[in-house]
Structure formats: C-alpha cells, structure tokens
Amino acid sequence: TPLASIMGYADLVAAEQPDNPATQDYARRISDDCARIDRIVRGLLDYARPRCSSEVSTDIRQVVTESLELLTRQGAFKHIKVLLTIDEVLPEAMADPHQLQQVLVNLLLNSRDALPEDGILEISAGLQSGQVCINILDNGSGISEEHLKHIFDPFFTTKPPGKGTGLGLAISARIIEGFGGRITVSSKPGAGSCFSVRLPLATPPPP
C-alpha cells in the first residue's frame, strides 16, 4: 500500500545516511506519522465495517482476568493500584470474547491514562438488573459535562494531538451494542470516571 511504500523509503534513507542526525530525525518522524495514519485507517475500517462477531456463551470472569493479565504483563499499570472484584457466582453472557477483550483493553487503558502515578483503578463484574455488568472505575481527572455527552462520538478525544484517534470509544460502543448490550459512563471532574459495560445473559433468568 502507499503507506508501506512511504515507510520503506524512509527506512531506506535512514539506512543510507546513518551518520546524518537530521536525516535520521526526518525518517523517524515520517515513520511515526505513517504508523499513526495506519492506526486511523484501521480504526475507520473497524467503525465503518465492524468485523463479524461470533456471539457465544462467554465466561466473563475469564475475559476480564485475561484482559488484566495481558496489560499487567506489558507493564501498563506501573505506579497505580489495581483492584479486581468479581461476584462469586457470575452467569455467562452473550458476546464475542475476542471483541469483548478489545473493548475492555481500550477502556482500561483510557482509565489508566486519566490516573496520576498513585491512582487507583477498580474493576468489578457482577449481575445487575438481569444483565452482566462490568464496571471500570478510576479516581483520575474525570470528564467535564460538556465532553461527557460527546464521549462516544467518532473522532472525539480529550487527549493531546497525536495521542489518540478518537475512534476507540466509538468502536467499543458499536461492538457492545452489536451484542445487544450497552456502554455508559458517569464522571465528575477531579473525582474520576466509571465506565459500565452491560451484556445480555446467555441464559435468560426465570420470570
């Protein structure tokens, strides 16, 4: 693709002039911006043409713990405290486990980014009002009321330029809605935010 070609030529120029700091800097900037364009294009494709999901009876406890373990191994939670609470008896929910993990990883990283070094991130999962509910709560900077109403809009982001595409939450909301569920958020500036993912039960409860 054109992006791959641009990145290839940037690497070639850098390799041909290893002792030229200016050339090395320009090549690095080209490669970094190409990688960012690639992320934006992939995000657009995911939003406009969501991948087919395989909705199955999913062990939510397993998906939540594996998502946490994945990020912990990558060092995503250094300098913050992570608390996990899962109901002892947690019914399975209808979801694609791989896409659900994509959503949880995105929400966890967003909450992590809002936290100071001594912040606290709390994850809980349980049965609420006939649905499986996963809550991700942080005591970070919070979201203003003005921004809160646009938080799931495509391309809306409160991150600095170059730090986010504004598609992560929009894609996450579309994925969860595809399962017949919903993502909601509550927040207070200076006090933190709570994202809640609600999923339909795999086996409906008795009337």
Side-chain angles (χ1 to χ4, degrees), residues 27 43 46 57 73 85 97 106 126 154:
D46 282 343
S57 183
R73 285 197 303 269
T85 305
N106 182 62

Side-chain angles (χ1 to χ4, degrees), residues 8-185:
Y9 280 117
D11 292 340
L12 184 62
V13 169
E16 288 179 347
Q17 301 187 42
D19 299 323
N20 188 325
T23 299
Q24 295 293 317
D25 181 57
Y26 293 152
R28 179 187 59 77
R29 290 171 186 266
I30 291 170
S31 294
D32 288 349
D33 282 341
C34 282
R36 182 166 176 257
I37 293 170
D38 182 65
R39 290 195 300 273
I40 293 171
V41 171
R42 289 178 188 276
L44 280 169
L45 290 174
D46 282 343
Y47 183 76
R49 190 179 55 203
R51 289 173 292 172
C52 294
S53 63
S54 302
E55 292 175 46
V56 295
S57 183
T58 298
D59 185 341
I60 300 303
R61 180 189 304 274
Q62 181 178 348
V63 177
V64 171
T65 54
E66 286 182 354
S67 301
L68 268 177
E69 288 170 3
L70 172 68
L71 293 175
T72 301
R73 285 197 303 269
Q74 295 176 357
F77 301 129
K78 289 179 181 177
H79 312 300
I80 66 171
K81 186 175 183 180
V82 178
L83 304 174
L84 175 63
T85 305
I86 300 179
D87 283 2
E88 207 168 304
V89 179
L90 184 62
E92 295 193 344
M94 289 303 295
D96 180 313
H98 304 292
Q99 290 191 355
L100 178 58
Q101 184 174 79
Q102 175 188 342
V103 170
L104 294 180
V105 166
N106 182 62
L107 294 177
L108 288 166
L109 289 178
N110 279 353
S111 292
R112 186 279 313 267
D113 291 345
L115 287 169
E117 283 199 0
D118 58 347
I120 300 174
L121 181 60
E122 298 180 54
I123 304 98
S124 64
L127 187 62
Q128 292 183 13
S129 303
Q131 292 181 307
V132 173
C133 185
I134 306 165
N135 293 313
I136 297 174
L137 173 68
D138 66 70
N139 66 341
S141 54
I143 306 166
S144 70
E145 186 176 346
E146 177 188 0
H147 290 162
L148 203 59
K149 56 189 176 184
H150 298 295
I151 201 71
F152 295 110
D153 291 352
F155 300 110
F156 180 82
T157 180
T158 57
K159 294 181 179 180
K163 295 296 183 180
T165 63
L167 285 168
L169 287 175
I171 292 170
S172 295
R174 177 164 285 198
I175 288 172
I176 298 301
E177 287 166 4
F179 302 154
R182 190 181 177 200
I183 297 183
T184 57
V185 59

